[in-house]
Amino acid sequence: MKLRCSRLWLVVCGLILLIPPPARAAKVTKTVISGSYHTLAVKPDGTLWAWGYNYNGQLGVGDTTDRNNPVRVDTGFVSVAAGLYHSLGLKADGTLWAWGRNNFGQLGLGDTADRNVPVSMGTGPTVWPWVAVAAGAYHSLGLKADTSLWAWGYNNSGQLGLGDNTDRSAPVFVGAGYIAIAAGGYHCLALKTNGTLVSWGNNGYGQLGLGDLNNRNTPAQVGANYLTIAAGFYHSLALNNGFLLTWGLNSSGQLGTGDTKNKLLPYPVGVESDWVAAAAGNSHSLALKGNGALYAWGGNGYGQLGLGDTNSRLSPVQVGTDWVTVASGLYHSLGFKSDGNLWAWGRNNLGALGLGDNTDRLSPVKVPSFNPHRAAVIPMY
């Protein structure tokens, strides 16, 4: 696979994770994010673009009107993250910005008021520089350059990792020694500097990979030697020495294990060891191999697998070749090919595909009005 960006770092739901020096977390460049029904993208010039559902101002364009074409939001951004109805973004100066729904404090601004334009979480040595962000359904995670992990927002299942179930409307310190973060619907995954994978939050389907169904409100160790993590709504994926492992809810075959049985521990998907990236939606999953081949599996009611039909798949099926990176929303998917063009497919009732209409697509369709010239894509919901 021909990677076009040497500073490509996986944090949330896919891509290659390049391990940085253990003393300092490296800045994560996430330039396309799929929210539940909205999409955010950063072009190489730092301009932020958004499209799709906007009822809570999650597009950041100053109103609550949906868009089915990409709309320019702001400039100076290098990374973005999207939850169900809220959005987060990092600027080049290390400042963190937030907008959209804020009923549980998921914007981290110290209150519960929605915002329809990006609002800075402040500057100064106590609040920045941030290097990575992740967004769950109604909670958020942030990673600073000193490897410290912070969390805020909804905490009903302990997904903030703070040892309780109390919501927070401003970032609270979770711990140090982290280099990558991923937020599922109500659970979290994180990698530590030594490659150890930890998880916490809701575990109703085994999505924490700990062998049981008990929630955790502090990080618990899953295993070692992990390099990449991805969190779906109720399932998880990770790469370990090139092998793809999945666990959690499997009602639609989203684990890719050939059945619909939930898995409480990491379970191998086949025997291949050439996987390099993964992304997870609500009930479907995507993954890339080193040769640029894209595979998809799981629920497919809206064509989110990109296979030309609406039939679910229990095991990985190849979508095409020459892919560089992929992203997954709840029921839609996006990806870049090596020529730099952005493609989208799946559910589009609110314009999340950016194709100028609200028609679902069963196969990848080129987004004509958005060509970021070989920018990387990183998934989130």
Side-chain angles (χ1 to χ4, degrees):
M1 183 172 66
K2 298 178 181 179
L3 292 177
R4 302 294 185 179
C5 179
S6 62
R7 295 184 300 159
L8 204 57
W9 301 83
L10 168 75
V11 172
V12 186
C13 295
L15 285 189
I16 301 167
L17 173 69
L18 304 176
I19 300 296
R24 183 180 177 88
K27 178 166 288 189
V28 175
T29 304
K30 303 179 296 177
T31 57
V32 172
I33 292 289
S34 301
S36 57
Y37 304 105
H38 73 290
T39 302
L40 306 173
V42 179
K43 288 190 176 184
D45 62 2
T47 56
L48 171 63
W49 298 72
W51 58 94
Y53 190 46
N54 194 34
Y55 184 80
N56 297 104
Q58 57 264 47
L59 299 188
V61 293
D63 57 42
T64 56
T65 302
D66 300 343
R67 304 297 203 283
N68 56 25
N69 278 307
V71 178
R72 186 179 184 276
V73 181
D74 198 359
T75 189
F77 283 87
V78 296
S79 182
V80 282
L84 275 181
Y85 310 110
H86 74 289
S87 305
L88 305 168
L90 292 178
K91 288 200 172 187
D93 60 4
T95 56
L96 177 57
W97 298 67
W99 59 99
R101 192 172 189 183
N102 194 33
N103 54 326
F104 295 107
Q106 57 264 47
L107 300 188
L109 300 172
D111 57 45
T112 55
D114 293 353
R115 306 299 203 282
N116 59 23
V117 294
V119 177
S120 174
M121 292 177 61
T123 60
T126 61
V127 295
W128 70 300
W130 299 93
V131 296
V133 288
Y138 301 103
H139 71 288
S140 305
L141 303 175
L143 188 63
K144 293 187 178 182
D146 62 0
T147 75
S148 63
L149 174 62
W150 300 71
W152 58 97
Y154 195 37
N155 196 31
N156 68 321
S157 299
Q159 58 263 49
L160 300 189
L162 301 172
D164 58 42
N165 294 80
T166 304
D167 300 343
R168 304 300 204 283
S169 61
V172 178
F173 176 75
V174 179
Y178 291 90
I179 57 169
I181 49 179
Y186 304 94
H187 75 289
C188 299
L189 306 173
L191 290 179
K192 307 206 80 173
T193 54
N194 61 2
T196 298
L197 171 62
V198 297
S199 63
W200 64 96
N202 186 273
N203 195 35
Y205 302 99
Q207 59 264 44
L208 298 188
L210 300 171
D212 58 46
L213 298 176
N214 301 320
N215 294 349
R216 303 298 201 283
N217 57 24
T218 57
Q221 182 171 330
V222 179
N225 300 318
Y226 284 88
L227 293 179
T228 299
I229 50 177
F233 212 78
Y234 293 115
H235 70 291
S236 304
L237 299 89
L239 298 185
N240 190 316
N241 294 318
F243 292 96
L244 177 61
L245 303 172
T246 62
W247 59 96
L249 181 64
N250 195 31
S251 57
S252 298
Q254 56 263 54
L255 299 188
T257 55
D259 56 43
T260 56
K261 296 179 180 179
N262 297 345
K263 304 295 190 293
L264 307 186
L265 291 167
Y267 193 94
V269 178
V271 297
E272 296 87 357
S273 61
D274 56 345
W275 299 99
V276 296
N282 179 47
S283 60
H284 75 291
S285 301
L286 307 168
L288 281 173
K289 288 196 171 185
N291 62 1
L294 172 63
Y295 288 78
W297 61 94
N300 193 33
Y302 302 98
Q304 59 264 43
L305 299 187
L307 298 172
D309 56 45
T310 56
N311 301 320
S312 298
R313 305 299 202 282
L314 303 184
S315 299
V317 177
Q318 187 170 340
V319 179
T321 59
D322 203 33
W323 294 93
V324 177
T325 48
V326 290
S328 177
L330 283 182
Y331 302 106
H332 71 289
S333 307
L334 301 99
F336 276 104
K337 289 198 169 186
S338 61
D339 64 1
N341 285 305
L342 176 63
W343 298 70
W345 60 98
R347 192 173 189 180
N348 194 36
N349 61 319
L350 297 168
L353 301 187
L355 299 173
D357 57 43
N358 296 78
T359 303
D360 297 345
R361 301 301 201 281
L362 306 185
S363 300
V365 176
K366 188 182 299 185
V367 182
S369 59
F370 190 86
N371 186 346
H373 309 293
R374 297 187 174 87
V377 57
I378 296 236
M380 191 48 207
Y381 293 109

